[in-house]
Amino acid sequence: TRLNRIPRSFPNVNPVFTIILHFFRLLYSMYRRSPAESDHLLYYPQFRNICQAGILIFFSVIYFSEKVAQNSYRVFGEEDYQTYKEMHYIKSQLKDIAEHGSLDDERVLVYCQPVRNVHTGTYDTAESLMRLRLPQTGLVFPDRFIPLAEKYGYIHRLSMIILNKTCRQIKHMQDEGYQISRVSVNLSVEELGEKDFMEEFKSIVRAAGIDFHTIAVEFTESQNDTEYELVQECVSEFKQLGVCTYLDDFGTGYSNFDRILSLKLDVVKFDRSLLLMADQDANSRFMLDYFSTAFERLGYKVLYEGVETDAQEELCIISHADYLQGYKFSKPIPIEELPRFLTRG
Ligand code: C2E
Ligand code: CA
Ligand code: CA
């Protein structure tokens, strides 16, 4: 009986589906009205099943189309299939890099973004940013592979490749006489619990022949107690080694100030979204000034990310900036090109 309570019209749906649906509905109601003793075609049991299946199938099609029209669903089309195939390919390449690749794997590229030192007016630090170059897709940006690498446990190997290549480039630039205070690499909390994480980190830096203070590590805010404890443990080990520690993306998560301050990191990176908000209203500018003053008094260095305009640069400078990073100065470039931003001698 529920099958008979189907509405008559579906405004957002191709009318052909509606006609077919009502055709099956009509047949089904004829079957229900025909006398039991009839040897009429309608009385074959298969006929009843066919009507019910027809109603169900077309009702589902209509229901789904309605949802699509209301934007609550998207139909899986050719484009989605291509995206799915590409994701699958990237995942298999990540697996191959993590399981068979070397620390020099050519598919993992180090890009970097020079960071401007406000006090000296020079570029003496930079951030390493990962890219992949894969045979079938060309250059792949982090938003398309970092979440996959984190989810499937490949991120640690990738980080170690970035660390290795970054350390070797630092060594090369130092040997050439360039002034580089340090380069930071990003770490994901997923990898901090890896067995031998610290040992591997130390041996890569030592093998490159650079000092620990010329490398820095960036962490994002922890989401829960377990993550926080992992970060805390690593931070104290890094500090003992002399590795500089950065808090990345400040202003994006639910900032837990107690936790942030008890980590005692060296540099706080104000996320680009804070600058965009401050561009728009006075309250956000006040917040920016408030937080940057607090961090400065607590002995942190303040770095602003995503600086794109002169107005933003000015705002950062009056809001206690020590370092500036953003497209205004440079987009990320292959790390081999970093020397053109550095001073020599
Ligand atoms: P992030 O660590 O916050 O890196 C900064 C991102 O902001 C970079 O994107 C950079 O290109 C972009 N950016 C810099 N200046 C500007 C600007 O002025 N305007 C705008 N609109 N964007 C700017 P990218 O390289 O695509 O990296 C995205 C994210 O991927 C990074 O965010 C980081 O979370 C992650 N990531 C990148 N490399 C690594 C890595 O080696 N390891 C890990 N774990 N994560 C990485
Ligand atoms: Ca970062
Ligand atoms: Ca950031």
Side-chain angles (χ1 to χ4, degrees), residues 208-223:
I210 58 166
D211 281 344
F212 283 109
H213 69 260
T214 55
I215 198 87
V217 287
E218 300 193 5
F219 301 96
T220 50
E221 279 174 51
S222 327
Q223 303 297 320

Side-chain angles (χ1 to χ4, degrees), residues 6 10 12-21 24 52-70 73 75:
I6 293 168
F10 301 92
N12 295 317
V13 170
N14 188 333
V16 176
F17 293 142
T18 319
I19 291 167
I20 301 175
L21 173 72
F24 279 114
Q52 281 184 339
I55 291 172
L56 273 174
I57 290 167
F58 280 90
F59 189 65
S60 310
V61 168
I62 284 171
Y63 177 81
F64 194 62
S65 313
E66 284 278 351
K67 290 283 177 194
V68 170
Q70 292 162 8
Y73 278 94
V75 175

Side-chain angles (χ1 to χ4, degrees), residues 218 248-249 269 271 305:
E218 300 193 5
D248 202 358
D249 301 338
K269 298 187 79 169
D271 190 71
E305 286 192 279

Side-chain angles (χ1 to χ4, degrees), residues 173 175-179 339 342-345:
M173 291 184 296
D175 289 349
E176 297 279 302
Y178 290 101
Q179 308 275 306
L342 307 177
T343 48
R344 212 171 181 172

Side-chain angles (χ1 to χ4, degrees), residues 4-38:
N4 264 355
R5 276 196 237 127
I6 293 168
R8 292 202 169 269
S9 74
F10 301 92
N12 295 317
V13 170
N14 188 333
V16 176
F17 293 142
T18 319
I19 291 167
I20 301 175
L21 173 72
H22 286 304
F23 170 72
F24 279 114
R25 227 184 110 217
L26 180 74
L27 288 186
Y28 186 67
S29 65
M30 282 164 65
Y31 153 78
R32 290 182 67 242
R33 269 189 238 113
S34 50
E37 64 278 10
S38 167

Side-chain angles (χ1 to χ4, degrees), residues 6 21 46 50 78 90 94 120 138 152 165 168 175 177 204 216 227 256 264 272 282 315 329:
I6 293 168
L21 173 72
Q46 294 95 323
I50 289 169
E78 175 62 23
I90 293 173
L94 290 171
T120 62
Y152 293 101
K165 293 190 173 191
R168 285 174 191 277
D175 289 349
I204 289 172
E227 278 186 19
N256 181 329
K264 299 196 176 59
R272 169 174 180 260
L315 179 65
F329 310 103

